[in-house]
Amino acid sequence: MSRIKQCFKNLEKSGKKALIPYITAGDPSPDYTVTLMNALVKAGADVIEIGMPFSDPMADGPVIQLACERSLAAGTSVKKVLQIITEFRQGDKETPVVLMGYLNPIEFFGYQAFSDAAKEAGVDGILLVDLTPEEAVDVVECFRENEIDLIYLLSPTTTPDRAKKICDLASGYVYYVSVKGVTGSAELDVDSVKKHVDSLRAITTLPIGVGFGIRDAKTAAAVSQCADGVIVGSVLVNAIAANKDHQKEYIADALSAILLPMRNEMDA
């Protein structure tokens, strides 16, 4: 059983929901990322999404765009991201890691070569924002061979027919984008999220994670009432930006101070 599937199975047994934080690899420095990942796990993360920096992250708002710029300026490459995951795996064999990014760097690396390298590094899932189901047929197979889950985005504007097609291709979990817009762009309408999540449950048995617009413990707890996972990104990345000139331990404490109340509220 994959780490992602096992994680959600264990959470279901205990009556809890997954807390899934996102940070950008290499922000503000590649040397910081493993320390930050470990801090997220200690603060209650069940799965970690790691952004692979890209020069044109079209689904992301200014906060994550700037994180990508800082990371790239610090010399973070796709190979460096995989080295970071390898280092993390030396101390953590259990926490699922999902890489999130865009198609261009992976296509340049080579799908099969990247899939093989990701498997060796200890990656559990991949979310490529701009990989559409129609273009994913050949790509899906090279990741499936390596037992790496392909995670897809669904949005408020996804039609039922298309949602079914996406869910049939996906594995691990599906990522429901709770707002119309880029990351960090809008206030969350929890009632609307619940309505859409309920409709998705009619077409898939996969766990459903909800992201975009979750900024605090209150909204995390509210979303956890209807979703299987709560995905938190921009608020954490913003905290990294605000403290980027400090030591990594200081930034780790800042992230923990955000995530731990979310964990506590969700469990309560």
Side-chain angles (χ1 to χ4, degrees):
M1 186 179 294
S2 73
R3 271 187 286 248
I4 293 176
K5 190 171 183 178
Q6 186 68 59
C7 174
F8 278 101
K9 183 178 180 180
N10 292 343
L11 287 166
E12 185 178 13
K13 284 182 179 178
S14 63
K16 295 183 178 182
K17 303 298 180 70
L19 181 55
I20 308 174
Y22 164 98
I23 59 173
T24 302
D27 176 32
S29 165
D31 296 335
Y32 282 39
T33 306
V34 172
T35 297
L36 302 185
M37 292 173 72
N38 287 327
L40 294 173
V41 173
K42 189 175 180 181
D46 299 294
V47 179
I48 300 179
E49 287 188 357
I50 294 295
M52 296 180 289
F54 182 52
S55 57
D56 300 284
M58 74 281 290
D60 294 298
V63 171
I64 294 178
Q65 287 184 23
L66 289 170
C68 286
E69 290 181 13
R70 290 191 298 270
S71 177
L72 292 170
T76 310
S77 63
V78 173
K79 286 185 178 180
K80 186 62 182 176
V81 174
L82 295 176
Q83 289 170 8
I84 288 169
I85 305 306
T86 300
E87 184 182 346
F88 173 73
R89 278 283 170 248
Q90 291 172 3
D92 189 321
K93 307 291 187 186
E94 302 298 328
T95 306
V97 174
V98 174
L99 295 183
M100 184 172 183
Y102 295 84
L103 199 57
N104 188 277
I106 308 306
E107 187 170 303
F108 183 80
F109 197 104
Y111 294 124
Q112 191 64 57
F114 176 81
S115 176
D116 293 343
K119 175 67 173 180
E120 185 176 353
V123 172
D124 302 287
I126 180 82
L127 195 168
L128 295 171
V129 176
D130 51 349
L131 177 64
T132 64
E134 292 81 7
E135 298 173 330
V137 177
D138 295 333
V139 182
V140 166
E141 290 308 313
C142 72
F143 286 109
R144 281 181 178 163
E145 288 171 7
N146 280 317
E147 300 180 318
I148 295 174
D149 288 318
L150 261 176
I151 295 158
Y152 283 91
L153 297 171
L154 296 160
S155 77
T157 58
T158 306
T159 65
D161 287 347
R162 186 168 181 79
K164 181 67 166 63
K165 185 175 184 179
I166 291 171
C167 289
D168 287 345
L169 274 178
S171 60
Y173 59 94
V174 293
Y175 186 140
Y176 176 68
V177 176
S178 62
V179 299
K180 298 176 185 177
V182 295
T183 54
S185 65
E187 293 295 327
L188 193 65
D189 182 344
V190 177
D191 290 337
S192 176
V193 170
K194 184 179 186 306
K195 178 181 176 181
H196 282 93
V197 168
D198 287 346
S199 68
L200 290 174
R201 294 206 188 279
I203 60 172
T204 184
T205 58
L206 289 171
I208 299 168
V210 173
F212 287 44
I214 297 169
R215 295 184 173 92
D216 53 33
K218 182 179 178 180
T219 53
V223 169
S224 73
Q225 296 300 305
C226 64
D228 302 298
V230 176
I231 302 165
V232 185
S234 291
V235 66
L236 296 172
V237 177
N238 204 36
I240 294 173
N243 296 287
K244 60 183 172 56
D245 296 324
H246 290 279
Q247 295 296 316
K248 56 188 175 183
E249 291 79 10
Y250 187 95
I251 300 176
D253 288 343
L255 298 186
S256 297
I258 295 169
L259 204 66
L260 189 55
M262 293 184 179
R263 175 81 275 166
N264 291 337
E265 284 292 315
M266 287 169 61
D267 291 348

